[in-house]
Amino acid sequence: MSDADEGRGDGTRAVRAGLPEPVKHEPTLPGPVFAAHFHLPGDPTGPYTYGRDENPTWTLLERAIGELEAPGEDGVETLVFASGMAAISAVLFSQLRTGDAVVLPSDGYQALPLVRAQLEAFGVEVRTAPTGGDAQLEVLDGARLLWIESPSNPGLDVCDIRRLVDAAHARGALVAVDNTLATPLGQRPLELGADFAVASGTKQLTGHGDILLGYVAGRDREAMTAVRRWRKIVGAIPGPMEAWLAHRSLATLGLRVDRQNATALKVAEALREHPDVTGLRYPGLPGDPSHKVACRQMRRFGCVVSFTLPTRARADRFLDALRLVDDATSFGGVRSTAERRGRWGGDAVPEGFIRLSVGAEDAEDLVADLLRALKESAG
């Protein structure tokens, strides 16, 4: 990548990321390549041999994500996967062996307890600690891998990534950071020293709620070779159409992130004043417990706001009363969504806990809808 590319702004980079050199009469972003195999006479050399190993559509998307996660770095490798959990599993199961210890967040993504059970079945010691207060430091000694989720999902706690990375590396441990909530435009874990940046591209990265995707980015060649080998073994690969749609969606990432983040702050400010709302969390809100550390390492604070209503019944009535917010799981889409997170049973949250994903609607309309629903659900 040239020096000029490195100096570009986030929006420009997102629009241009991963595009091939222009060729007359060719599309600026080539369409998806649907191929299980390729012409391959003689010895199997070159990048494209079989569809489970490589695909030209993946290559462009991987290049694009790498340019967003680590602008100006040529040594970063990115691998795309069929889902965020496929990417998470690839790092954990390619790097850990029987007898190793791993540190996971106790307040992380809902599927992590399932991962923990499988790791323990393979003889890996799993330690957990909350994200907030850098509590994972207390259980780090002797670990092979530290897994960070910052901001955490769904509680939105933030840890000092640089501090944890330095402590882990001093103890000989690798560090992976789940960057799903922040996106590369909000936070760059590799710049903070992490060995892996991992994310679900299903969420705000692609932003339309119509693609399942994940990725892993890292600069250590040996570690990434192991991740690639795991992808090959389990076949956790994205379809070409999904990869192409994801790359197409990256062009609007800067626009979406800026709009959604700005509206999320306005929503948090409005909810902060409501007497029935407790436990409000948004890292970009001055006064949030994580605001100071978030400001040191994040450039944007995400589109998710969390808060608690007094009871499960009140939360359900609130969700039913919303008109501009869909009652759905996941987050990061251009249409706002919300859910009572406790319905899944995997998060240590109150029954009335709401995870709200702010979309691209007009802020005034969204705030009005939320406040109206709070009023109507109070009876």
Side-chain angles (χ1 to χ4, degrees):
M1 185 179 296
S2 69
D3 292 340
D5 291 333
E6 185 177 358
R8 289 174 176 170
D10 286 340
T12 302
R13 187 177 294 112
V15 168
R16 306 294 305 178
L19 297 181
E21 290 297 319
V23 176
K24 189 174 183 178
H25 305 307
E26 293 294 323
T28 54
L29 177 62
V33 175
F34 297 100
H37 54 260
F38 303 85
H39 288 295
L40 193 65
D43 293 333
T45 59
Y48 305 114
T49 57
Y50 185 62
R52 191 182 64 247
D53 298 329
E54 290 288 352
N55 177 285
T57 311
W58 303 351
T59 299
L60 296 179
L61 176 60
E62 289 170 341
R63 186 186 305 163
I65 294 173
E67 290 174 12
L68 298 179
E69 282 284 358
E73 289 197 44
D74 293 328
V76 171
E77 181 178 4
T78 303
L79 297 170
V80 290
F81 290 81
S83 68
M85 279 308 303
I88 289 170
S89 299
V91 173
L92 291 169
F93 290 101
S94 70
Q95 303 302 312
L96 297 169
R97 303 288 185 272
T98 299
D100 286 343
V102 60
V103 177
L104 301 179
S106 60
D107 54 346
Y109 179 52
Q110 176 203 27
L112 286 182
L114 300 176
V115 175
R116 174 178 185 165
Q118 191 61 60
L119 288 168
E120 289 176 337
F122 290 160
V124 175
E125 178 191 353
V126 179
R127 308 169 189 167
T128 62
T131 299
D134 300 341
Q136 290 175 302
L137 286 172
E138 300 174 9
V139 293
L140 193 53
D141 285 350
R144 163 67 178 163
L145 176 67
L146 168 63
W147 189 274
I148 295 171
E149 190 176 296
S150 181
S152 62
N153 175 25
L156 302 182
D157 263 324
V158 173
C159 62
D160 187 331
I161 294 176
R162 174 71 72 179
R163 181 187 181 204
L164 287 167
V165 165
D166 289 346
H169 287 171
R171 292 164 171 81
L174 297 169
V175 181
V177 177
D178 187 328
N179 205 35
T180 303
L181 266 161
T183 81
L185 269 59
Q187 176 176 271
R188 295 186 186 130
L190 298 181
E191 288 186 358
L192 296 169
D195 300 286
F196 304 100
V198 187
S200 168
T202 308
K203 313 298 193 298
Q204 195 173 23
L205 187 82
T206 55
H208 292 81
D210 54 7
I211 301 168
L212 288 172
L213 193 82
Y215 70 85
V216 179
R219 62 170 62 90
D220 184 282
R221 179 169 297 182
E222 182 177 351
M224 289 302 295
T225 295
V227 174
R228 180 184 290 274
R229 180 174 180 271
W230 180 264
R231 184 178 70 173
K232 178 182 177 73
I233 291 171
V234 302
I237 57 173
M241 190 66 185
E242 286 79 2
W244 182 83
L245 287 169
H247 197 169
R248 180 211 60 174
S249 298
L250 287 184
T252 62
L253 179 61
L255 298 171
R256 292 185 281 106
V257 164
D258 283 345
R259 174 64 172 258
Q260 291 171 261
N261 284 211
T263 303
L265 179 58
K266 292 180 180 179
V267 165
E269 290 170 341
L271 293 176
R272 180 177 54 184
E273 306 301 326
H274 198 282
D276 293 344
V277 169
T278 60
L280 177 71
R281 297 300 303 271
Y282 181 66
L285 187 66
D288 184 274
S290 294
H291 184 66
K292 289 184 179 180
V293 65
C295 285
R296 292 199 299 267
Q297 64 193 23
M298 300 182 74
R299 294 170 296 125
R300 296 172 178 86
F301 300 106
C303 64
V304 177
V305 177
S306 68
F307 57 96
T308 300
L309 294 176
T311 65
R312 172 177 178 168
R314 175 66 187 284
D316 286 337
R317 291 198 303 271
F318 166 73
L319 293 170
D320 287 342
L322 291 167
R323 296 170 185 165
L324 295 180
V325 182
D326 296 330
D327 191 342
T329 194
S330 197
F331 56 86
V334 292
R335 289 172 289 278
S336 293
T337 60
E339 68 173 337
R340 190 181 63 78
R341 192 63 187 165
R343 66 181 177 172
W344 296 99
D347 297 306
V349 295
E351 287 286 356
F353 180 94
I354 301 291
R355 185 181 71 182
L356 169 65
S357 173
V358 174
E361 300 88 356
D362 289 332
E364 295 77 11
D365 292 338
L366 188 56
V367 168
D369 190 45
L370 292 165
L371 294 180
R372 180 197 50 76
L374 283 170
K375 182 178 181 180
E376 290 184 5
S377 63

